[in-house]
Amino acid sequence: EAGVAQSPRYKIIEKRQSVAFWCNPISGHATLYWYQQILGQGPKLLIQFQNNGVVDDSQLPKDRFSAERLKGVDSTLKIQPAKLEDSAVYLCASSPGTGAPETQYFGPGTRLLVL
Amino acid sequence: KQEVTQIPAALSVPEGENLVLNCSFTDSAIYNLQWFRQDPGKGLTSLLLIQSSQREQTSGRLNASLDKSSGRSTLYIAASQPGDSATYLCAVFQEKLTFGTGTRLTIIP
């Protein structure tokens, strides 16, 4: 079974530029998550989708971050404009059910450096 | 607001030793607690999941315990190997997963 795929793996941009990340979850998984992991910290949930609807985006900085999950499958996370403090690893995860207490499967992440 | 703390932040032990990693959380109303492993440049791999009604879970050389009333969990690794070197994260699930900051473990050959 293929795991969660993410691209690109690395991205370097200058502040005020825009960037987009892509995630393809495990086939058939209904719930998709985006996490931000700043160096030295644990991952923090940015947004959770169930199918193509948003369940939780309370910690998403909506003035600059946006995310979508068209057709309930893959997802994109966008930052526009980027700030220095957005430098982090962006992790995508998926789970088979409705996001209730169940194991989440994580992708390798996209490492973003904002200069 | 749930807060998850892991101590120590880093740990180095000689190969073959047994070791314990600690995790504490402030709100005991959790559904479950998970221990994850994170290797450099890679995502997270779930090691053990303990439901709130359980006291421990075991997988191979790993044993995780949960004392929900005191807000503590431990991950015990027996007979450590160099391949165990990684960052270990604990996370508790209420409405969402809340992670600790991790313990970076180095096993010295």
Side-chain angles (χ1 to χ4, degrees), chain A residues 8 11 13 18 21-22 28 31 33 37 46 51 58-60 63 68 72 77-78 85 87 97 101 104 109:
Chain A
K11 191 74 175 179
I13 62 173
S18 63
F21 312 129
W22 175 81
T31 304
Y33 314 80
Q37 186 177 21
L46 292 176
N51 297 311
S58 58
Q59 298 189 99
L60 186 74
D63 58 334
E68 60 181 8
L77 176 69
K78 297 179 181 178
E85 58 261 38
S87 295
Q104 297 179 20

Side-chain angles (χ1 to χ4, degrees), chain A residues 9 35 37 40 42-43 45 59 91 99-101 103-104 106-108, chain B residues 31-32 34 36 38 41-44 46 49 93 96-97 99-101:
Chain A
R9 295 296 310 277
Y35 289 87
Q37 186 177 21
L45 180 68
Q59 298 189 99
L91 295 164
T103 297
Q104 297 179 20
F106 284 80
Chain B
Y31 285 103
N32 61 44
Q34 282 186 267
F36 291 87
Q38 187 171 32
K42 297 185 179 180
L44 279 67
S46 180
L49 184 151
F93 192 100
K96 61 188 175 197
L97 273 179
F99 285 85
T101 53

Side-chain angles (χ1 to χ4, degrees), chain A residues 64-84:
Chain A
R64 298 184 299 107
F65 285 64
S66 64
E68 60 181 8
R69 189 184 186 196
L70 298 176
K71 300 180 181 179
V73 182
D74 55 355
S75 175
T76 56
L77 176 69
K78 297 179 181 178
I79 307 175
Q80 181 179 12
K83 294 185 175 181
L84 297 177

